[in-house]
């Protein structure tokens, strides 16, 4: 009867979510994925059921109007958000996303995930997320600056180094963080560590740009080694071409793996013999400096094939590992089946919730090793936490020091996922359940200790 109790508990919690927010499908998906794996824990420790219900409701949500003047002198209006999800173990911490697809549902899903991810890092950080439906693509630097000043004029009332420390995410890179930091400093007259991902000259941490991609590869390496595989020589499909994809590629090259693909929202580049140093440098220049599209790649490298409007998962090639590093729900059931057919045996998520529930079922039924986002991509926020530490100390650590700490954190995250999987999961390699349970326990215990707040 335990199983029926598990499904009853899960159903009851999910029905509450649907009743409260019937239209928030991304949020529902994130909650369902976590709650469905917490079942065995909740049966053993039913006192955590009310705590989980409380955790699902964010502590605070701020939405606001963001008016700004474009290059033609016209006033534009966007919507700004900050979801302050959970502060049980530390100040709210999580990225800002500037993209037309940003909705409250998307930010609640990200803030919910972030709460567990930050718990897994072992650092004292709560969960949050924010952003706007503003699209930086195709805007001038002056327009992006104008938007950032307006956005921060309101956001500055709600954040601070011991309250809420935002960072970058999709559409928010070094340029945007710089503009936001400048605006915060002017509005408040305070030079404090209120944002992470800052430039190296004004309080940023070395290794922060590399952290999410490097961390995902460190996690992948541990996952492979624990299952008697070597990363060297593995053929890897990567999606995305932003910060995460770039540095995952870089670290895979360093470790002797072969990266076959990168992609953007218009299509996929496939390099049969792998992306080498020269191609990697071109990728970074194309995306970070020129802000161009991957369709330009074959005119530079004739070895490349470009597939318009398609994702890396369906490229006709043999591969061992897939690393989705673009965005949520980019691997659907059909894509997962294509990965199985290509010979892929391990998935490691660089993006947030890139696999749909149906895709995850395909991974499971084919016994694929699966490194879920909240564990595998936690390197980014881990180094953000280290950036906060350096700001508080008024010191800067060397790259080597930060990278060593990052490697240790990713190793600890893998170990805590593996041991929670062994204790509560369906199998000792059920790292998804392991990540959810290990992340949840720390937050839930802190919440219980703090009473009805």
């Amino acid at each position: 009867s335990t199983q029926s109790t598990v499904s009853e508990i899960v159903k009851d919690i999910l029905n509450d979510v649907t009743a409260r927010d019937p239209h928030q499908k991304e949020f529902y998906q994130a909650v369902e994925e976590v709650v469905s794996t917490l079942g065995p824990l909740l049966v053993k420790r039913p006192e955590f059921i009310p705590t989980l219900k409380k955790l699902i409701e964010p502590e605070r949500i701020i939405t606001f109007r963001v008016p700004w003047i474009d290059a033609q002198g016209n006033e534009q209006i966007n919507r700004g958000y900050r979801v302050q999800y959970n502060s049980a173990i530390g100040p709210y911490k999580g990225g800002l996303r500037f993209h037309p697809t940003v909705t409250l549902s998307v930010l609640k899903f990200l803030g919910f995930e972030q709460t567990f991810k930050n718990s897994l890092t072992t650092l004292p950080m709560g969960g949050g997320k924010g952003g706007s439906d503003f699209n930086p693509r195709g805007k001038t630097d002056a327009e992006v600056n104008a938007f950032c000043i307006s956005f921060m004029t309101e956001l500055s009332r709600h954040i601070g180094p011991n309250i809420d420390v935002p960072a970058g995410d999709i559409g928010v890179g070094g340029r945007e963080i710089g503009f936001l930091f400048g605006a915060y400093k002017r509005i408040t007259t305070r030079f404090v560590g209120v944002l992470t991902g800052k430039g190296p000259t004004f309080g940023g941490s070395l290794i922060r740009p590399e952290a999410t991609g490097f961390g995902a590869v460190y996690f992948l390496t541990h996952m492979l080694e624990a299952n008697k595989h070597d990363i060297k020589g593995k053929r890897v499909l990567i999606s995305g071409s932003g910060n995460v994809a770039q540095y995952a590629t870089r670290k895979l090259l360093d470790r002797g793996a072969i990266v076959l693909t990168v992609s953007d929202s218009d299509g996929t580049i496939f390099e049969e013999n792998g992306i080498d140093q020269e191609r990697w440098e071109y990728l970074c220049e194309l995306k970070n400096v020129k802000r161009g599209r991957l369709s330009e790649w074959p005119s530079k490298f004739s070895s490349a094939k470009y597939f318009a409007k398609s994702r890396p998962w369906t490229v006709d090639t043999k591969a061992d590992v897939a690393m989705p590093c673009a965005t949520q729900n980019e691997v659907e059931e059909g894509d997962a089946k294509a990965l199985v057919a290509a010979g892929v045996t391990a998935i490691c998520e660089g993006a947030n919730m890139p696999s749909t529930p149906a895709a995850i079922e395909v991974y499971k039924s084919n016994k694929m090793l699966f490194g879920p986002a909240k564990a595998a991509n936690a390197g980014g926020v881990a180094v953000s936490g280290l950036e906060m530490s350096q700001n508080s100390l008024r010191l800067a650590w060397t790259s080597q020091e930060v990278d060593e700490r990052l490697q240790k954190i990713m190793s600890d995250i893998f170990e805590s996922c593996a041991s929670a999987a062994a204790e509560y999961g369906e199998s000792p390699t059920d790292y998804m359940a392991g990540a959810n349970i290990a992340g949840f326990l720390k937050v839930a215990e802190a919440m219980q200790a703090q009473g009805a707040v």
Side-chain angles (χ1 to χ4, degrees):
S1 78
T2 315
Q3 231 12 66
S4 70
T5 327
V6 170
S7 60
E8 280 161 21
I9 292 167
V10 169
K11 211 154 124 195
D12 175 46
I13 292 171
L14 294 177
N15 285 342
D16 282 359
V17 174
T18 314
R20 218 164 235 176
D21 297 300
H23 307 300
Q24 296 183 355
K25 60 181 193 300
E26 296 88 356
F27 175 58
Y28 181 87
Q29 182 186 335
V31 174
E32 180 179 37
E33 187 250 290
V34 168
V35 173
S36 60
T37 55
L38 292 180
L41 170 72
L42 298 174
V43 167
K44 279 188 189 172
R45 312 217 17 212
E47 72 275 14
F48 281 135
I49 296 169
T51 313
L52 175 58
K53 287 183 172 178
K54 182 162 76 167
L55 190 158
I56 289 168
E57 187 63 21
E59 291 179 15
R60 186 177 301 105
I61 297 175
I62 300 133
T63 80
F64 50 96
R65 182 174 70 191
V66 188
W68 58 280
I69 309 293
D70 69 16
Q72 286 69 49
N74 300 315
E75 189 173 14
Q76 301 290 339
I77 306 294
N78 288 97
R79 183 176 289 175
Y81 301 90
R82 188 68 180 168
V83 177
Q84 297 182 328
Y85 217 102
N86 190 287
S87 60
I89 61 173
Y92 308 107
K93 180 91 198 79
L96 296 170
R97 176 175 293 194
F98 291 171
H99 197 267
T101 57
V102 166
T103 61
L104 188 54
S105 172
V106 168
L107 294 178
K108 280 177 67 182
F109 120 60
L110 290 164
F112 181 74
E113 284 270 295
Q114 194 77 46
T115 301
F116 294 82
K117 183 189 304 184
N118 292 358
S119 166
L120 283 170
T121 66
T122 71
L123 302 170
M125 300 181 290
K129 205 78 186 188
S132 173
D133 57 2
F134 170 77
N135 191 359
R137 192 168 144 191
K139 305 281 194 299
T140 65
D141 284 0
E143 287 177 317
V144 173
N145 195 355
F147 175 81
C148 288
I149 290 169
S150 181
F151 183 82
M152 186 52 84
T153 302
E154 175 60 32
L155 187 66
S156 63
R157 308 162 188 271
H158 309 287
I159 62 175
N162 299 311
I163 301 168
D164 181 353
V165 182
D169 192 75
I170 295 170
V172 178
R175 170 180 67 168
E176 290 76 13
I177 292 290
F179 291 157
L180 290 164
F181 183 80
Y184 181 89
K185 182 165 62 74
R186 189 176 190 198
I187 291 161
T188 63
T189 69
R190 281 173 174 73
F191 191 111
V192 289
V194 71
L195 290 158
T196 56
K198 298 186 294 297
T201 53
F202 57 101
S205 175
L206 293 166
I207 308 292
R208 178 61 193 91
E210 297 89 335
T212 312
F214 278 16
V217 176
Y218 296 153
F219 188 93
L220 171 67
T221 307
H222 286 296
M223 183 168 76
L224 291 174
E225 284 173 356
N227 293 280
K228 312 279 185 286
H229 297 286
D230 184 3
I231 198 163
K232 198 171 190 299
K234 290 279 185 285
R235 291 167 64 83
V236 186
L237 300 169
I238 285 188
S239 67
S241 49
N243 164 279
V244 185
Q246 289 167 24
Y247 288 108
T249 300
R250 166 77 269 149
K251 186 53 69 177
L252 286 165
L253 294 188
D254 295 348
R255 297 203 161 182
I258 302 154
V259 177
L260 302 168
T261 60
V262 286
S263 68
D264 61 21
S265 53
D266 295 329
T268 293
I269 282 289
F270 171 52
E271 287 277 10
E272 178 61 58
N273 300 314
I275 292 170
D276 59 4
Q277 177 66 25
E278 186 192 359
R279 284 167 176 76
W280 181 76
E281 284 169 6
Y282 171 73
L283 169 67
C284 296
E285 190 199 356
L286 178 66
K287 285 295 175 182
N288 305 346
V289 183
K290 292 184 178 163
R291 300 184 187 272
R293 311 305 292 163
L294 291 178
S295 51
E296 301 166 40
W297 184 301
S299 57
K300 171 92 172 161
F301 298 106
S302 58
S303 55
K305 290 196 175 80
Y306 177 71
F307 299 102
K309 292 283 166 248
S310 82
R311 296 168 175 171
W313 326 125
T314 50
V315 171
D316 184 18
T317 185
K318 281 273 161 261
D320 306 297
V321 176
M323 293 189 74
C325 297
T327 191
Q328 66 264 19
N329 292 328
E330 55 165 314
V331 187
E332 298 175 89
E333 185 176 17
D335 301 316
K337 288 178 173 163
L339 293 176
V340 175
V344 170
T345 54
I347 317 277
C348 190
E349 297 186 327
N352 288 312
M353 201 171 74
S355 307
T356 65
I360 293 170
E361 282 310 312
V362 175
Y363 306 159
K364 276 188 169 169
S365 59
N366 287 279
K367 306 257 186 297
M368 294 159 103
L369 296 175
F370 175 46
K374 65 173 66 68
N377 80 20
V381 74
V383 175
S384 275
L386 300 178
E387 182 174 333
M388 290 164 71
S389 303
Q390 292 167 83
N391 291 167
S392 298
L393 291 164
R394 297 187 189 275
L395 288 174
W397 296 330
T398 64
S399 313
Q400 189 187 350
E401 214 173 336
V402 179
D403 196 21
E404 280 170 5
R405 287 173 190 262
L406 171 60
Q407 291 186 48
K408 168 87 169 77
I409 287 170
M410 295 315 296
S411 170
D412 290 347
I413 291 174
F414 177 76
E415 291 309 324
S416 64
C417 292
S419 64
E423 189 175 347
Y424 296 103
E426 288 171 22
S427 85
T429 56
D430 188 356
Y431 304 123
M432 181 171 95
N436 291 338
I437 290 165
F440 172 71
L441 276 171
K442 182 176 173 185
V443 177
E445 283 166 10
M447 286 173 72
Q448 287 194 338
Q450 292 168 29
V453 294

